[in-house]
């Protein structure tokens, strides 16, 4: 399995969900060619939808930027080699966004 080689960049997931994401990424990379980003993303997204409910989004690639709104506790960005994986559960609940906002202290 490749999850031992994964480097987590950012996450707010519980440890068990993180391990599941890494494990699924390893399975996807064992099943699909590393150049088939769409199938890898589809596999991980469908598995998370089944395990944790609908609304998960997965982006897989070597070079991408992102700015997403996600549910608290439902975000992970990690790399396996040069392949980056962003997995999150989206939200459009403006009230939830406002309640989660914490202003930064001025420098």
């Amino acid at each position: 399995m490749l999850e031992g080689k994964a480097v987590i960049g950012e996450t707010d997931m519980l440890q068990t969900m993180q391990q599941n994401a890494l494990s699924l990424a390893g399975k996807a990379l064992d099943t699909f060619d590393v150049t088939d980003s769409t199938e890898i993303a589809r596999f991980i997204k469908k598995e998370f939808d089944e395990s944790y409910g609908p609304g998960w989004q997965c982006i897989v690639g070597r070079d991408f930027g992102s700015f997403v709104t996600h549910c608290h506790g439902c975000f992970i960005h990690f790399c396996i080699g040069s392949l980056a994986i962003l997995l999150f559960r989206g939200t459009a609940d403006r009230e939830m966004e406002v309640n989660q906002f914490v202003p930064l202290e001025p420098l």
Side-chain angles (χ1 to χ4, degrees), residues 2 4 8-11 24 32 35-36 39 41 48 56 59 64-66 70-71 80-83 87 95-96:
L2 294 172
I8 297 174
E10 296 289 331
T11 187
L24 288 170
F32 304 104
T35 61
D36 200 353
E39 288 305 315
F48 257 68
W56 288 90
I59 301 168
F64 62 86
S66 66
H70 65 89
C71 294
I80 299 177
S82 62
L83 192 68
L87 177 64
E95 185 175 313
M96 179 184 255

Side-chain angles (χ1 to χ4, degrees), residues 51-97:
S51 297
Y52 303 105
W56 288 90
Q57 308 299 315
C58 187
I59 301 168
V60 176
R62 296 189 187 282
D63 185 28
F64 62 86
S66 66
F67 188 85
V68 300
T69 302
H70 65 89
C71 294
H72 181 71
C74 298
F75 177 91
I76 188 168
H77 175 265
F78 61 99
C79 295
I80 299 177
S82 62
L83 192 68
I85 299 172
L86 173 62
L87 177 64
F88 64 98
R89 183 184 238 171
T91 181
D93 185 347
R94 185 68 183 142
E95 185 175 313
M96 179 184 255
E97 283 181 51

